Amino acid sequence: MASQPRLQVLAASRNRISTLRGFPHLPSLESLRVEENPLLEMPHLEAALILLVGPTLKKFNDRDLNPTEAEVVKQYPAHTAICIRDGWEFCSPELAADSTFSFLLEQWKNKLPQDYIVKTAYVDHPFEEDPCHCHFSFTNLSSEGKLVLKYQWFLGGKTPTGFVPIPEELSEVYWPKSEDVGRCLKVECTPVLNDAEFPPVFAVSLPVCLGTGYPKVINLTVNGELVEGNVLKGVPQIAWCGGTPGKGVASWLRRTWNGNAVIDGAEGMEYQLTIDDIDSSLVFMYTPVTEEGVKGDPQCTMTDFVKAGTPSVSNVYVVGDIVEDNTIKGNGKYFGGKEGLSKFQWFREKENGGFLLVLSNSTQYTLIKEDVGWCLKFVYTPINLEGQEGEAAFAITEAVRKAPPKVFDLKITGEAREGSKVSVTATVTGGTVASSRVQWFKASSSEFVNDHELEALCTSKVSKTFRIPLGAVGCYIVAKFTPVGPDGEIGAPAYAILDDVVETLPPSLNFLTVTGEFSEDQMLTASYGYIGGYEGNSLYSWYLHETEDDEGSPLSEASGLLQYRIKKEDVGKFVSFKCIPIRNDGIVGEPGVFMGNDRVTPGNPTVLSLELNGEAIEGTTMVANRRYWGGEEGDTVFRWVLTSSDGTWNEIEGATSSSYSLKCDDIGFYVSVSCEPVRIDGVHGSLVTTEAIGPIIPGPPACRSLELAGSMLEGGRLTSHAEYTGG
């Protein structure tokens, strides 16, 4: 009977069926009836039919399948159905494995190379996306030559029928795919002896089962040359077993004599060998993980020992400003095991080309005056610990520039107190301290970043000293030192800061003085310097002293004033000024007193004003009115002068008082008076003269006096005497 792919019910009762040989392929059969056939005497007939029809069979002889027979089916080898169709006599499951294999051997024996017999031929139970191996072996009784085996995998149906070759699956292993689940596999093994192919033998599998979903590593290798600097790559071969391929967890470990050490950051599939790996072996560990998050068992593989690379250097460069007096440093990235005594050399460019060696065995070089204007070359020759020398590499700098002025060892000396004088000291290269400039600042903190955090206390100037002002109390004093070269070139500024915060002082006077001449009618002015916080209402007072040692008497009219004009009464006494400093919070400091060195002297005798009063008429008494200044007036001298119309003058003899009566002889003349002030101690002052008044005119005729002279006796002679005025 031919295969019937769509047949679902087959009734073959009473057909004298006695064997299952040639049983057709019925992949859709659900019900089978074979009543009243000799075949019914076969033991486990129901199990044999299940093997032949497959999982679609639900009823046998109009009843449901016996569960016991379904379990018996599992005890038969996968190729049982093929053997049944080829005429194998069905037997109990205990004997089926050997019996069916003997049956197949009998079929193959005349097809094999001479003196060869099949020893094993079977396929592992296949699972989805899990490598399935076939196993074939032959026994050679006496033949010579090497037997080569060729393979071809086939995919069948739910029962071992309808096999079709799977393209390019020609090895001992096949990875069942998701679409293979529930279908049987078959492998044909073709023996080849001395280039002669013989008919194949085969093995079939049970239907492919669903994968477990737990991935597993089938093979794990590490690719790459085990030399420092090379990149190793871990290559896992993974059976995903029905799970969705995901990203596994990889890690690299370094294996040394005392165990394994995890390599930090080495968590990828690739790893670059470093100097730390030399003379160690590496362990690559991989744990497969599906997209669903299911982890398989971790697997690892170990490499051979890592070797050091050949010494070499790359990325050679020079760091630092290429400026005179700076120290520059040559760097390079060494490679090739542990570094030994590598060579470092510095060369200076020469005028005629080429380079001149200036320093060896140092990565650092301090630029000197001779280097200015020339390039430098740094040469790095790599040498490993064993003394193996690699190829040298070098870097060439730009031309060395002349150094701008620089400042070193900058310090502030002096006390951090209000009113104290502080100064800076420094060492300047490329310039002079005298020409450099200093600016003073105050800062709220002893740590600052730039000028924006500072408050200027003065402008930049050449002076290196500074008196701390009141406004700096509670702050730090900072000096900004800017070096200046002889040609005016300005260097980078440097900063210095006093260690302590500026403290305030108790209220006090740092100086007290009185200016002016200690002489009558002179103005004395007091001045003082206050320190000790902000000044409040300090007290001022002036005193007169008979002697330098007495307490003196206060001059009330000058209390609270900084100025005092000396009076006439002060002559011969001492004048002092007293100041009591008071802070704005009311704290009183020690008073300061300034005592004049000398007694108050009188002023020079001076006629401040001189007026001539009276009419220029004969007989009038002219009076010289004066205002005297300059101590006690003594015998001031007056001189009266008559001046004619032609300008000639004559001093009136005997006229030395402050008044003078015009006489008849004075008519027609002009009259004036001069005054020479005389102090009581005999000191003469400057002569002062009035303007001349006149001309003098005659007075009215008058007899100013009339006297009779003679004896008042009878017969006596009387004489009259009269004083006439009036021309």
Side-chain angles (χ1 to χ4, degrees):
M1 179 178 177
S3 296
Q4 300 293 330
R6 297 182 180 179
L7 183 64
Q8 294 180 331
V9 179
L10 175 61
S13 303
R14 302 176 183 177
N15 276 305
R16 299 180 181 181
I17 301 173
S18 59
T19 180
L20 293 176
R21 181 172 183 163
F23 192 87
H25 179 45
L26 305 172
S28 301
L29 188 65
E30 297 179 1
S31 177
L32 174 63
R33 300 183 65 176
V34 289
E35 296 101 329
E36 300 181 22
N37 282 294
L39 188 66
L40 293 175
E41 298 177 3
M42 180 184 299
H44 297 296
L45 173 62
E46 190 171 334
L49 292 172
I50 294 173
L51 288 169
L52 290 169
V53 175
T56 59
L57 186 63
K58 299 295 187 295
K59 289 182 177 293
F60 176 65
N61 288 338
D62 205 24
R63 58 181 172 80
D64 292 338
L65 296 179
N66 187 346
T68 303
E69 290 297 299
E71 288 298 318
V72 170
V73 169
K74 298 177 182 179
Q75 302 178 34
Y76 284 90
H79 52 253
T80 301
I82 295 176
C83 294
I84 292 173
R85 285 189 173 91
D86 288 344
W88 172 69
E89 185 176 348
F90 195 73
C91 65
S92 65
E94 294 81 6
L95 304 174
D98 292 337
S99 177
T100 53
F101 189 65
S102 298
F103 179 79
L104 293 174
L105 290 179
E106 188 65 25
Q107 290 182 330
W108 295 337
K109 67 179 181 179
N110 295 326
K111 301 177 182 179
L112 299 176
Q114 187 177 0
D115 297 329
Y116 279 89
I117 59 174
V118 178
K119 184 178 180 181
T120 55
Y122 68 92
V123 179
D124 294 338
H125 191 171
F127 287 85
E128 175 190 10
E129 295 183 347
D130 198 352
C132 179
H133 292 76
C134 64
H135 305 272
F136 291 92
S137 62
F138 293 81
T139 300
N140 182 9
L141 300 179
S142 62
S143 296
E144 297 180 356
K146 183 178 180 180
L147 185 67
V148 178
L149 303 181
K150 297 170 62 177
Y151 303 95
Q152 174 65 61
W153 288 81
F154 295 82
L155 182 64
K158 297 177 181 179
T159 59
T161 56
F163 290 103
V164 294
I166 303 174
E168 299 182 3
E169 295 297 335
L170 307 175
S171 68
E172 293 180 72
V173 182
Y174 172 65
W175 294 60
K177 303 174 181 61
S178 297
E179 54 267 27
D180 300 341
V181 173
R183 303 173 71 178
C184 297
L185 299 176
K186 176 183 176 182
V187 185
E188 288 187 354
C189 176
T190 302
V192 180
L193 182 64
N194 298 328
D195 297 329
E197 289 192 7
F198 291 84
V201 296
F202 67 88
V204 295
S205 74
L206 295 173
V208 176
C209 293
L210 283 171
T212 62
Y214 287 89
K216 58 184 177 180
V217 178
I218 302 302
N219 187 34
L220 189 62
T221 59
V222 174
N223 295 340
E225 188 177 2
L226 295 172
V227 176
E228 175 195 7
N230 286 349
V231 176
L232 302 184
K233 184 176 182 180
V235 183
Q237 188 180 17
I238 304 169
W240 293 104
C241 301
T244 305
K247 184 178 181 180
V249 178
S251 61
W252 297 83
L253 296 88
R254 188 179 296 116
R255 186 177 180 84
T256 59
W257 62 272
N258 60 348
N260 295 339
V262 176
I263 303 174
D264 292 338
E267 298 173 350
M269 301 301 291
E270 294 184 349
Y271 172 68
Q272 186 171 22
L273 296 170
T274 68
I275 188 173
D276 297 328
D277 302 321
I278 296 173
D279 296 330
S280 301
S281 60
L282 297 182
V283 177
F284 175 64
M285 182 171 288
Y286 187 82
T287 303
V289 182
T290 66
E291 284 287 345
E292 294 80 14
V294 179
K295 289 185 178 181
D297 294 330
Q299 298 293 328
C300 64
T301 185
M302 188 170 66
T303 70
D304 204 345
F305 290 100
V306 178
K307 299 177 182 179
T310 302
S312 63
V313 64
S314 60
N315 193 26
V316 177
Y317 61 98
V318 175
V319 295
D321 289 334
I322 313 301
V323 179
E324 178 191 3
D325 296 329
N326 280 357
T327 297
I328 57 178
K329 184 178 181 181
N331 289 316
K333 186 177 181 181
Y334 174 86
F335 174 82
K338 293 184 178 179
E339 187 173 11
L341 298 176
S342 296
K343 296 179 184 178
F344 307 105
Q345 296 171 303
W346 293 90
F347 295 83
R348 182 194 303 135
E349 187 180 16
K350 297 192 295 187
E351 289 188 27
N352 57 354
F355 287 86
L356 172 68
L357 178 64
V358 292
L359 182 64
S360 297
N361 301 323
S362 177
T363 58
Q364 294 185 334
Y365 177 71
T366 300
L367 299 167
I368 60 177
K369 183 178 181 180
E370 289 75 8
D371 300 324
V372 174
W374 302 104
C375 298
L376 292 177
K377 180 166 73 171
F378 171 68
V379 179
Y380 188 147
T381 303
I383 300 176
N384 65 16
L385 202 59
E386 289 74 30
Q388 183 182 0
E389 185 175 310
E391 184 177 351
F394 64 89
I396 298 178
T397 71
E398 62 185 31
V400 178
R401 302 187 301 277
K402 185 179 182 300
K406 287 186 178 179
V407 59
F408 301 93
D409 304 323
L410 180 63
K411 296 178 182 178
I412 301 177
T413 58
E415 289 186 313
R417 300 183 67 182
E418 172 199 356
S420 293
K421 185 177 289 187
V422 291
S423 59
V424 291
T425 60
T427 301
V428 176
T429 60
T432 61
V433 174
S435 61
S436 299
R437 304 185 70 83
V438 176
Q439 186 173 10
W440 297 88
F441 297 85
K442 66 178 181 180
S444 58
S445 170
S446 60
E447 297 180 0
F448 59 91
V449 177
N450 51 48
D451 289 0
H452 300 299
E453 301 180 22
L454 303 176
E455 182 178 343
L457 296 174
C458 67
T459 59
S460 180
K461 51 190 175 182
V462 174
S463 175
K464 307 303 182 293
T465 59
F466 177 68
R467 189 175 297 278
I468 299 176
L470 173 61
V473 171
C475 300
Y476 291 88
I477 294 296
V478 179
K480 177 183 178 182
F481 192 101
T482 304
V484 180
D487 56 356
E489 183 181 7
I490 297 176
Y495 295 85
I497 186 168
L498 271 176
D499 295 334
D500 301 319
V501 172
V502 175
E503 299 176 350
T504 187
L505 297 174
S508 61
L509 304 175
N510 60 359
F511 73 91
L512 176 63
T513 186
V514 174
T515 58
E517 187 177 351
F518 283 79
S519 181
E520 179 189 1
D521 203 45
Q522 295 297 307
M523 180 68 77
L524 300 180
T525 301
S527 60
Y528 64 93
Y530 174 89
I531 55 175
Y534 288 97
E535 185 179 10
N537 295 321
S538 297
L539 300 178
Y540 320 128
S541 55
W542 296 85
Y543 293 84
L544 278 179
H545 305 262
E546 296 293 339
T547 65
E548 291 182 279
D549 299 328
D550 67 17
E551 293 183 0
S553 56
L555 296 168
S556 58
E557 69 272 23
S559 178
L561 302 177
L562 289 173
Q563 289 185 319
Y564 172 66
R565 186 176 294 279
I566 297 175
K567 300 189 294 294
K568 180 179 179 180
E569 293 80 7
D570 303 335
V571 172
K573 300 178 182 180
F574 292 95
V575 177
S576 68
F577 174 77
K578 179 179 180 180
C579 176
I580 301 176
I582 301 177
R583 203 161 58 199
N584 62 348
D585 57 2
I587 300 298
V588 179
E590 290 294 326
V593 176
F594 182 90
M595 174 69 77
N597 294 327
D598 301 311
R599 295 178 183 274
V600 175
T601 60
N604 289 329
T606 304
V607 175
L608 299 179
S609 64
L610 181 62
E611 293 181 355
L612 184 57
N613 295 329
E615 294 182 352
I617 300 173
E618 175 196 2
T620 301
T621 299
M622 306 297 291
V623 178
N625 291 326
R626 70 194 181 284
R627 189 155 65 93
Y628 173 87
W629 178 88
E632 290 293 335
E633 187 176 8
D635 295 329
T636 297
V637 178
F638 295 90
R639 295 181 180 87
W640 293 87
V641 177
L642 293 175
T643 305
S644 63
S645 58
D646 61 0
T648 59
W649 60 273
N650 288 301
E651 185 176 337
I652 301 174
E653 189 175 346
T656 58
S657 67
S658 60
S659 61
Y660 171 69
S661 295
L662 298 177
K663 299 179 176 58
C664 179
D665 294 338
D666 300 332
I667 293 172
F669 290 90
Y670 293 84
V671 64
S672 63
V673 66
S674 62
C675 178
E676 183 180 9
V678 179
R679 204 163 59 198
I680 196 170
D681 57 2
V683 176
H684 289 246
S686 298
L687 184 70
V688 176
T689 303
T690 65
E691 292 184 1
I693 296 176
I696 299 170
I697 60 176
C703 182
R704 298 186 66 183
S705 66
L706 180 62
E707 295 181 356
L708 292 177
S711 175
M712 296 296 292
L713 296 176
E714 179 182 2
R717 188 178 182 178
L718 296 177
T719 302
S720 63
H721 297 279
E723 184 180 354
Y724 173 81
T725 61

